[in-house]
Amino acid sequence: MPVVTIASPKGGAGKSTAAVILGTELAHAGAAVTMIDCDPNRSLTLWSDQGDIPPRIQVLSDVGESDLIKTVKQHDQDGSIVIIDLEGVASRLVSRAISQADLVITPMRGTTLDATIGVRALQLVAEEEEALDRSIPHAVVFTMTRNIRSKQHNGIEASLREQGVDIIDPSLIERAAFAALFEFGGDLRTIPPQGNMETAQANAQGFAEAVYARLRGEAGESAA
Amino acid sequence: MSERKAFSIDVGGLKSRPKQSDARTIAKTDKAGEKHGFIDREPKAKRGRKPSPRTGQVHAKVLPQVQAQIAAEARRRGTQQGVIIEDAWELYCEQHGITDED
């Protein structure tokens, strides 16, 4: 089963939020999901401790550099989609997690700082593709976006597209419901209402469907 | 508002490739990472012995042969001399009915 690595050396880019949204939406759609928490800040573990873990999801905590590959190998074969959440830092653990991925997702806010640092993850993917002599599908998802996008965001997105980077559509919009997942645990169907839950669920589902299409090889082949 | 289309997953359609995990692949991966500053950042275990919880001190002068015997017994057991004194104190307390509350 496929392994999705959520990677960016930039902290606060929305990696753990993207991981929880993706994991809970895929599980809601019927998939078994194993979420591997490799972040020393234990964001996924904090989420899983806040409430009942939704059906079909298991969370593995405190997985480090020495046991990541063994853990992925074990769960890659047990029929579940594996999602790896990493710390926002340029570490060897990140490069190893990328080597095991069927899809690398780099969350990025639409700011120059996020783009400048986030692009390092894309450069690392390219380097590993060359070193390992195989293609590693990868995509960027913009996070914490607003309905009216800034010029900066539009410019960054256009620049990435020009370079052949696969951009996941829809982006993850800044929503109270997404932040509340870490307050209440569970998923977007079990937390107390936070703003417009229907649009939050539609946004999350749209994101998960776009990732699912890439895991089926139906979308998102980058031109690079 | 229009009804959202149900999203369901057919796991049979998911693509996964065999992952290489041999030492050579890991070494290549690590080298590729290092070129871009993705280096080992695992916390390192502290070197040296752990601090002893025995921070109390007694000020005792004993007869030379008693000192030699305590030292020999501690060496034989592979402990600090303080442990021998603690054991002796425990026996003393038992014999004299001294408890922690006393």
Side-chain angles (χ1 to χ4, degrees):
Chain A
M1 294 291 277
V3 176
V4 181
T5 296
I6 315 281
S8 168
K10 171 81 172 63
K15 286 181 291 298
S16 300
T17 305
V20 169
I21 291 171
L22 180 62
T24 51
E25 289 302 311
L26 292 176
H28 182 72
V33 178
T34 298
M35 301 175 77
I36 302 181
D37 189 357
C38 294
D39 183 351
N41 296 314
R42 307 180 91 236
S43 304
L44 287 190
T45 307
L46 289 171
W47 162 75
S48 68
D49 288 345
Q50 290 298 335
D52 292 337
I53 300 175
R56 292 181 289 281
I57 292 181
Q58 68 167 330
V59 178
L60 306 177
S61 304
D62 303 319
V63 177
E65 198 179 289
S66 57
D67 45 2
L68 173 67
I69 291 179
K70 190 178 66 187
T71 307
V72 169
K73 200 169 185 175
Q74 189 185 341
H75 292 279
D76 183 26
Q77 291 161 4
D78 69 1
S80 61
I81 297 174
V82 177
I83 298 173
I84 304 173
D85 184 36
L86 293 153
E87 185 182 13
V89 67
S91 69
R92 197 157 72 183
L93 182 59
V94 175
S95 54
R96 289 190 182 179
I98 288 173
S99 78
Q100 299 300 300
D102 292 286
L103 175 66
V104 177
I105 298 175
T106 300
M108 194 182 280
R109 289 188 298 168
T111 65
T112 305
L113 185 62
D114 264 52
T116 307
I117 300 174
V119 158
R120 289 181 64 199
L122 306 182
Q123 290 168 339
L124 177 58
V125 171
E127 186 77 36
E128 290 198 33
E129 283 181 318
E130 199 177 320
L132 305 178
D133 195 24
R134 66 170 183 82
S135 142
I136 304 172
H138 55 283
V140 164
V141 63
F142 283 99
T143 58
M144 293 172 252
T145 60
R146 296 170 190 272
N147 286 326
I148 300 170
R149 293 185 177 195
S150 66
K151 280 184 185 171
Q152 197 178 32
H153 179 157
N154 287 334
I156 291 164
E157 185 167 335
S159 167
L160 289 173
R161 284 190 194 280
E162 270 173 31
Q163 293 170 63
V165 175
D166 177 21
I167 311 279
I168 294 176
D169 186 30
S171 60
L172 291 171
I173 292 175
E174 183 160 27
R175 292 181 187 283
F178 294 166
L181 286 168
F182 292 89
E183 186 181 348
F184 300 104
D187 64 21
L188 291 171
R189 290 151 194 89
T190 61
I191 61 171
Q194 311 282 321
N196 188 335
M197 292 305 285
E198 199 162 327
T199 52
Q201 287 169 12
N203 186 192
Q205 181 180 316
F207 166 64
E209 283 177 325
V211 173
Y212 175 56
R214 284 161 176 80
L215 296 178
R216 289 174 62 91
E218 290 170 353
E221 289 300 315
S222 64
Chain B
M1 187 172 271
S2 64
E3 185 72 13
R4 210 169 340 126
K5 213 176 90 185
F7 172 36
S8 69
I9 287 179
D10 167 23
V11 288
L14 294 171
K15 286 189 173 179
S16 176
R17 57 168 184 82
K19 278 98 186 162
Q20 291 174 298
S21 54
D22 56 290
R24 204 160 155 254
T25 304
I26 295 171
K28 277 184 185 177
T29 304
D30 291 350
K31 202 175 163 192
E34 280 167 18
K35 273 177 81 172
H36 291 270
F38 288 74
I39 56 173
D40 179 13
R41 297 188 198 272
E42 292 278 286
K44 301 282 177 287
K46 278 188 180 169
R47 294 176 66 183
R49 67 175 178 85
K50 287 182 181 169
S52 169
R54 293 189 167 80
T55 52
Q57 200 164 4
V58 292
H59 303 278
K61 281 202 173 186
V62 293
L63 295 169
Q65 70 272 22
V66 175
Q67 181 267 322
Q69 286 167 350
I70 290 173
E73 179 61 7
R75 255 195 315 277
R76 187 188 69 77
R77 287 175 52 182
T79 63
Q80 300 291 315
Q81 292 182 16
V83 176
I84 308 295
I85 295 171
E86 285 168 3
D87 289 351
W89 175 247
E90 198 178 321
L91 285 171
Y92 182 90
C93 289
E94 274 176 27
Q95 278 180 12
H96 293 84
I98 299 171
T99 61
D100 284 348
E101 289 83 45
D102 290 336

